[in-house]
């Protein structure tokens, strides 16, 4: 049966574009996540955990039918229904869905959320670009109208997180797309300007030009960039949107946050209005964006928010893998440690060893034992490999006298302690 033979010999690997985060890397992730949680909370944001898949139509509605994420990158789950589910490619859609579903607008004027977790996109994997990657995302959604100071808070929080996580060479680019009404005027203006140069635009942009002209501004192709640069010095918008953007810039300056205004920065999604921003870091090559965000107030109505409320919403997402790459941490290994390792010198002492082990764990002392027994030498090796601070040895004499030999693995000192005192002795030694 050759087919079965092949199957039996198959070596499985993690799916292309995904990574295992191994136990000697998880302390780094835990550290990064706990720092991020602390900083987000200090700005009044609280964690939300939404499912990792949602209805496909939620993403189609929120990201827009013309976006790359929906067109090329959505990982849909097989289903017999016409419209099924897809793994989440980003976090905003689900947070807005949850905001509306849970009637947050009736509970508070401004809701402040953050999330940390995996996102999924069917991209071509390369350095800094994965199919499963992780984001730290922040969203503020309110039923009052937009405040430019909230835009600055968002940018300040993103920069604070990246600085605190140790990312060097940060560059912040900002732009304003104006209000929803401005965007309509700008879109007509851009279309009439680009129409004059249509034949110089790439094929993608000729399509984008019809469906969402803003995306042409963001095209990476050289000849499109030339056309864009010759037309767009700044986007024409209303007086009130200009004042809004000036307040954002003035407050950033007053807060000591450096930035550059980039009139071509638009961000891929349809619902962005007013402030949009992108942050890059040095040393990442072509995938140098560590985070991006913007104001997306129109999305709340699009996903079913109360038509009578003038929602304001803004958020950003940072890519954790790119943060780790930028910090040079991608290959950093922090050895896991354990406080106590219990050794039974004879097979028949294993049950007592196990009882002691559980007692230690209940007392909040991290502990393990070598379940396969073996010589004292091989068990000491196991204690060393586990990076144990102490080895607790149960030998013949100890079993007879109700004691434990307590070996300090770093100082190579050994003492004999009564079993009934062992917890207190270890706790006080650990404090030394
Ligand atoms: P890019 O232009 O690099 O494709 P994007 O505009 O698609 O980024 P966003 O949707 O704004 O990215 O996501 C925010 C951040 O998430 C990015 O700045 C990046 O750090 C990270 N990110 C996005 N896609 C990936 C991916 N496929 N692999 C790893 N990180 C990613
Ligand atoms: Mg992308």
């Amino acid at each position: 049966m050759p087919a079965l033979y092949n199957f039996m010999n198959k070596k499985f690997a993690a799916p292309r574009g995904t990574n295992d985060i191994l136990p000697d890397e998880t302390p780094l992730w835990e550290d990064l996540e706990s720092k991020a949680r602390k900083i987000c909370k200090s700005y009044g944001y609280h964690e939300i955990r939404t499912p990792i898949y949602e209805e496909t139509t939620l993403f189609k509605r929120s990201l827009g039918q013309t976006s790359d994420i929906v067109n090329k990158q959505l990982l849909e789950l097989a289903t017999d229904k016409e419209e099924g589910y897809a793994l989440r490619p980003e976090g905003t859609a689900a947070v807005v869905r949850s905001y509306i579903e849970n009637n947050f607008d009736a509970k508070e004027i401004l809701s402040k959320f953050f999330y940390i977790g995996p996102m999924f996109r069917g991209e071509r994997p390369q350095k800094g670009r994965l199919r499963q990657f992780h984001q730290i995302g922040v969203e503020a959604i309110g039923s009052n109208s937009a405040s430019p100071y909230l835009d600055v808070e968002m940018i300040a929080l993103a920069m604070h997180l990246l600085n605190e996580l140790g990312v060097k060479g940060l560059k912040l680019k900002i732009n304003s797309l104006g209000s929803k009404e401005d965007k309509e005027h700008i879109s007509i203006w851009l279309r009439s300007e680009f129409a004059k140069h249509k034949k110089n635009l790439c094929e993608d942009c000729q399509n984008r030009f019809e469906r969402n002209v803003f995306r042409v501004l963001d095209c990476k192709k050289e000849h499109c960039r030339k056309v864009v640069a010759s037309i767009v010095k700044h986007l024409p918008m209303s007086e009130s949107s200009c004042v809004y953007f000036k307040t954002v810039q003035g407050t950033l300056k007053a807060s000591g946050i450096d930035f550059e205004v980039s009139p071509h920065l638009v961000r891929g999604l349809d619902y962005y209005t007013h402030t949009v921003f992108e942050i890059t870091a040095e040393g990442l090559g072509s995938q140098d964006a560590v985070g991006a965000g913007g104001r997306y107030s129109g999305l709340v109505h699009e996903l079913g928010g109360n038509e009578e409320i003038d929602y304001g919403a803004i958020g950003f997402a940072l890519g954790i893998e790119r943060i780790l790459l930028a910090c040079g941490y991608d290959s950093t290994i922090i050895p896991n440690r354990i406080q106590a390792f219990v050794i039974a010198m004879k097979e028949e002492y294993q049950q007592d060893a196990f009882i002691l082990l559980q007692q230690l764990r209940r007392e909040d002392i991290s502990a393990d034992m070598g379940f396969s027994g073996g010589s004292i030498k091989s068990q000491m090796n196991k204690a060393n490999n586990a990076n144990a601070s102490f080895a607790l040895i149960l030998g013949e004499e100890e079993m007879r006298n109700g004691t434990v030999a307590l070996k300090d693995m770093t100082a190579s000192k050994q003492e004999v302690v009564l079993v009934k005192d062992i917890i207190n002795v270890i706790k006080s030694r650990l404090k030394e």
Side-chain angles (χ1 to χ4, degrees):
M1 286 196 293
L4 183 62
Y5 181 77
N6 281 341
F7 173 74
M8 305 276 285
N9 280 288
K10 179 176 166 62
K11 281 209 170 72
F12 290 102
R16 216 163 93 78
T18 72
N19 284 321
D20 294 323
I21 301 164
L22 298 173
D24 52 13
E25 296 160 321
T26 46
L28 190 64
W29 283 73
E30 263 184 69
D31 183 49
L32 180 148
E33 287 165 6
S34 72
K35 278 187 185 144
R37 285 196 170 89
K38 199 166 148 227
I39 296 167
C40 289
K41 285 182 194 168
S42 77
Y43 281 68
Y45 290 81
H46 298 290
E47 186 166 4
I48 181 166
R49 302 186 188 198
T50 63
I52 58 163
Y53 65 91
E54 297 275 349
E55 284 183 61
T56 308
T57 37
L58 176 76
F59 300 123
K60 288 194 175 164
R61 279 253 211 109
S62 66
L63 300 167
Q65 299 278 2
T66 60
S67 65
D68 276 359
I69 296 185
V70 165
N71 273 328
K72 302 182 196 156
Q73 300 173 357
L74 216 50
L75 293 175
E76 295 188 52
L77 303 178
T79 165
D80 46 10
K81 289 213 196 98
E82 210 163 278
E83 284 292 356
Y85 298 104
L87 294 175
R88 61 182 188 189
E90 52 88 55
T92 307
V95 174
V96 175
R97 194 259 312 129
S98 180
Y99 173 86
I100 299 168
E101 186 178 347
N102 293 292
N103 301 313
F104 274 93
D105 54 2
K107 293 180 212 162
E108 54 199 15
I109 292 174
L110 184 66
S111 302
K112 297 168 91 172
F113 306 100
F114 76 88
Y115 56 83
I116 302 177
M119 304 295 157
F120 306 85
R121 297 185 193 175
E123 312 211 52
R124 192 170 67 78
Q126 50 195 293
K127 188 177 170 217
R129 193 175 289 292
L130 296 159
R131 289 187 178 167
Q132 176 174 342
F133 60 101
H134 297 76
Q135 285 184 337
I136 302 167
V138 178
E139 318 283 353
I141 312 172
S143 50
N144 59 346
S145 53
S147 159
Y149 298 102
L150 186 59
D151 301 38
V152 178
E153 171 174 285
M154 274 293 161
I155 298 173
L157 173 53
M159 296 303 280
H160 191 155
L161 281 164
L162 290 166
N163 277 315
E164 200 62 29
L165 296 173
V167 186
K168 297 278 179 296
L170 292 172
K171 277 212 179 88
L172 167 66
K173 280 189 192 161
I174 64 169
N175 191 23
S176 173
L177 304 176
S179 65
K180 200 171 157 223
E181 295 73 35
D182 288 339
K183 269 187 91 174
E184 280 163 27
H185 295 305
I186 298 170
S187 148
I188 295 168
W189 175 76
L190 282 175
R191 224 172 277 146
S192 75
E193 289 298 315
F194 286 136
K196 301 174 196 158
H197 302 269
K198 199 171 167 188
K199 59 177 188 316
N200 295 328
L201 297 173
C202 71
E203 202 178 314
D204 273 352
C205 280
Q206 298 197 11
N207 286 327
R208 285 180 186 135
F209 166 81
E210 300 296 342
R211 294 195 291 174
N212 182 350
V213 69
F214 283 94
R215 297 242 164 81
V216 178
L217 298 181
D218 216 16
C219 183
K220 305 280 183 286
K221 297 205 181 74
E222 193 55 40
H223 48 291
C224 294
R225 297 190 91 137
K226 271 193 195 143
V227 174
V228 169
S230 69
I231 294 171
V232 186
K233 305 294 177 224
H234 58 88
L235 298 176
M237 55 188 165
S238 63
E239 183 61 29
S240 64
S241 294
C242 289
V243 169
Y244 190 103
F245 194 36
K246 283 266 167 337
T247 309
V248 170
Q249 293 181 55
T251 313
L252 281 173
K253 271 193 201 126
S255 316
I257 298 171
D258 290 335
F259 63 91
E260 185 188 304
V261 175
S262 164
H264 308 148
L265 178 69
V266 293
R267 306 288 306 128
L269 312 183
D270 288 353
Y271 294 101
Y272 281 113
T273 49
H274 288 294
T275 316
V276 287
F277 59 98
E278 189 172 87
I279 306 163
T280 55
E282 68 190 10
L284 288 179
S286 52
Q287 261 64 254
D288 64 351
V290 281
R295 188 167 270 287
Y296 55 85
S297 305
L299 181 59
V300 189
H301 282 153
E302 187 60 30
L303 296 183
N306 187 339
E307 283 300 332
E308 278 157 29
I309 295 175
D310 176 20
Y311 294 102
I314 179 162
F316 67 82
L318 309 178
I320 298 184
E321 282 81 357
R322 289 196 198 165
I323 291 174
L324 294 175
L325 275 172
C327 294
Y329 283 157
D330 58 314
S331 54
T332 305
I333 283 169
I334 301 174
N336 284 296
R337 297 194 74 84
I338 200 139
Q339 289 166 323
F341 195 91
V342 183
I343 294 173
M345 300 262 284
K346 284 190 181 164
E347 177 72 35
E348 62 260 40
Y349 307 155
Q350 288 233 14
Q351 193 179 70
D352 286 284
F354 185 75
I355 305 293
L356 176 60
L357 177 66
Q358 287 298 88
Q359 211 183 333
L360 291 163
R361 291 166 170 171
R362 276 196 299 272
E363 290 291 332
D364 234 10
I365 297 167
S366 61
D368 211 344
M369 70 182 271
F371 292 99
S372 53
S375 70
I376 175 80
K377 191 162 170 249
S378 81
Q379 295 206 58
M380 283 306 280
N381 276 342
K382 283 182 197 152
N384 265 323
N385 291 340
N387 270 312
S389 307
F390 293 96
L392 277 62
I393 306 158
L394 295 180
E396 205 176 322
E397 214 180 304
E398 287 81 18
M399 290 300 289
R400 203 172 39 238
N401 302 333
T403 56
V404 181
L406 179 67
K407 187 175 164 73
D408 183 328
M409 299 293 285
T410 39
S412 292
K413 276 189 310 200
Q414 191 163 320
E415 61 190 307
V416 174
V417 180
L418 286 170
V419 171
K420 69 176 180 51
D421 296 334
I422 190 75
I423 303 283
N424 286 338
V425 172
I426 293 184
K427 280 189 176 167
S428 69
R429 294 283 180 279
L430 284 169
K431 276 195 206 128
E432 279 168 12

